[in-house]
Amino acid sequence: MFYAILAYHVEEVITALTPEEDAALMADLLQIHERLYRDGSLGPAARLGATQDACTSRGPGAGMVIDGPFAETKEQLLGLYVVDCATRDAAIAIARDFRRVNPTAVYEIRPISLYLPGVPLSVTQS
């Protein structure tokens, strides 16, 4: 079964990291990515752009587009992973691995009820 692991964080904490601190955090996260990739359980993963660059569509019909993230929260959704796990406990174990290297983040684990793979995308770096 596919699970989404949604990574929430206080955005200002992440943007305040020095380039060296950010690189160290990403190196630790990429070790987990590599392990999950090797065992075939890692699907798409993304580090999302700044919430100040986000917009939201809401309302009836085509919706009204407004600037900013969709919810007023203390933490912002900054990234996501799609993992293929036999059990919920296995997905939770992966989220715990991420949390070990990024302990100030919050990871939401949610089953995916429909997964439609798209065309492969090129890897981007910000």
Side-chain angles (χ1 to χ4, degrees):
M1 170 162 226
F2 290 110
Y3 290 86
I5 299 177
L6 307 174
Y8 292 88
H9 213 294
V10 177
E11 191 167 15
E12 291 80 24
V13 170
I14 295 301
T15 57
L17 294 175
T18 66
E20 295 79 17
E21 290 168 329
D22 187 58
L25 173 59
M26 290 308 297
D28 289 342
L29 290 171
L30 288 173
Q31 287 182 5
I32 298 168
H33 294 188
E34 287 299 319
R35 182 189 49 142
L36 297 174
Y37 178 75
R38 280 192 310 274
D39 75 19
S41 61
L42 182 64
R47 188 178 204 184
L48 301 177
T51 57
Q52 69 188 22
D53 297 331
C55 62
T56 302
S57 174
R58 71 169 67 226
M64 177 177 68
V65 176
I66 56 174
D67 289 338
F70 71 95
E72 294 294 324
T73 61
K74 183 174 78 169
E75 295 126 356
Q76 292 77 41
L77 177 62
L78 299 183
L80 62 100
Y81 304 90
V82 174
V83 294
D84 187 6
C85 299
T87 66
R88 179 177 180 261
D89 287 341
I92 290 170
I94 291 169
R96 286 184 170 149
D97 286 342
F98 288 134
R99 185 142 169 81
R100 259 190 290 286
V101 300
N102 194 6
T104 58
V106 175
Y107 292 94
E108 175 184 346
I109 300 96
R110 189 183 302 183
I112 295 175
S113 59
L114 176 65
Y115 178 76
L116 302 172
V119 297
L121 301 174
S122 62
V123 176
T124 61
Q125 291 282 334
S126 61

